[in-house]
Amino acid sequence: MASKAATKRLGKESVLMEKDPPPLCYARPKDDNILEWHFILRGPPDTPYEGGEYWGQLLFPSDYPFKPPGIKLQTPSGRFQPDTKICTSMSDYHPGSWNPAWSVANILIGLLSFMCTDEMTAGSVMATQRERRTLAAKSHAFNVAQRKFTLIFPDYAGPSVKDLPNMSRPPNVATTEPSSVQPEETNEANDSPWSWWYPACSRQN
């Protein structure tokens, strides 16, 4: 059960999400559980995820915002293992690095930025850019075949993918251009303006 602080904070964040959603991101809580949020990310232009629609969950603890949420992606992406918690500095893998001032919007923009790198962490998978583009093209069909997605996002469950309320590109989302360099040999994540967000444990993988 959500604490009064969590209910108040998440209620305010829900209102803000509807009023001013972040670029390429959208989220809403379940009607019967404010601690379980579902989100959609759209793949940024010039990345292997372009055109993709990625559905996932933020699983907030009862004492949010004093502790971070768990983060999962359900849609196969070639970047994260479906239905598996993702290790980031904003997730419950690293409660010591959590800042209560961070919002749902911060978490989603950070996740999208991290998705567009090849930094490995718990919950990550390896795939080629071609495989990721193929999965991006199939992502909407996967989502609408999931009953939970259609119940939570009936307005996005039509036969074709629908734009999110804010389709502008976040200024700090890193891109991964086609390259033959292997992920472990690139400095791409370290060069990103969002590198502070990447999990410390990823350096060990």
Side-chain angles (χ1 to χ4, degrees), residues 46 90-91 98 149 155 159 161 167-168 175 186 194-195 197-198:
D46 306 318
M90 283 185 171
S91 77
W98 170 253
F149 178 88
D155 41 341
V161 66
M167 289 298 292
S168 60
T175 61
T186 181
W194 281 89
S195 60
W197 191 88
Y198 302 150

Side-chain angles (χ1 to χ4, degrees), residues 3-205:
S3 66
K4 290 183 178 180
T7 300
K8 183 177 180 180
R9 172 68 174 269
L10 290 171
K12 288 182 177 179
E13 295 214 39
S14 180
V15 171
L16 184 60
M17 179 64 63
E18 294 298 328
K19 181 179 179 181
D20 187 23
L24 302 182
C25 307
Y26 178 66
R28 60 177 55 146
K30 282 189 68 181
D31 290 339
D32 60 351
N33 184 4
I34 200 167
L35 295 176
E36 181 180 330
W37 282 52
H38 290 252
F39 63 81
I40 297 174
L41 305 179
R42 290 298 305 274
D46 306 318
T47 74
Y49 312 102
E50 183 172 2
E53 177 189 72
Y54 302 98
W55 160 49
Q57 287 115 7
L58 300 177
L59 306 172
F60 292 97
S62 60
D63 50 355
Y64 177 82
F66 304 107
K67 291 182 180 179
I71 305 173
K72 291 183 177 183
L73 204 69
Q74 296 295 336
T75 310
S77 63
R79 179 67 177 94
F80 300 119
Q81 182 70 33
D83 198 28
T84 300
K85 282 191 176 182
I86 302 166
C87 173
T88 77
S89 296
M90 283 185 171
S91 77
D92 56 5
Y93 268 88
H94 293 282
S97 65
W98 170 253
N99 184 337
W102 287 336
S103 66
V104 172
N106 293 146
I107 295 167
L108 295 180
I109 293 174
L111 179 62
L112 188 59
S113 178
F114 185 44
M115 183 175 179
C116 293
T117 74
D118 284 319
E119 189 80 7
M120 295 301 292
T121 185
S124 297
V125 297
M126 297 289 291
T128 65
Q129 293 200 2
R130 179 178 293 180
E131 289 169 335
R132 289 170 176 172
R133 291 190 181 97
T134 298
L135 289 170
K138 296 178 178 179
S139 59
H140 181 68
F142 172 88
N143 290 339
V144 298
Q146 313 306 310
R147 185 171 182 270
K148 197 167 190 178
F149 178 88
T150 62
L151 289 174
I152 294 170
F153 296 111
D155 41 341
Y156 291 92
S160 59
V161 66
K162 177 183 175 182
D163 283 350
L164 298 180
N166 184 355
M167 289 298 292
S168 60
R169 179 172 176 167
N172 288 333
V173 167
T175 61
T176 51
E177 297 296 334
S179 171
S180 59
V181 177
Q182 295 300 310
E184 61 269 21
E185 299 173 349
T186 181
N187 292 323
E188 187 173 57
N190 294 332
D191 294 337
S192 168
W194 281 89
S195 60
W196 60 270
W197 191 88
Y198 302 150
C201 62
S202 66
R203 312 295 181 185
Q204 304 168 8
N205 292 339

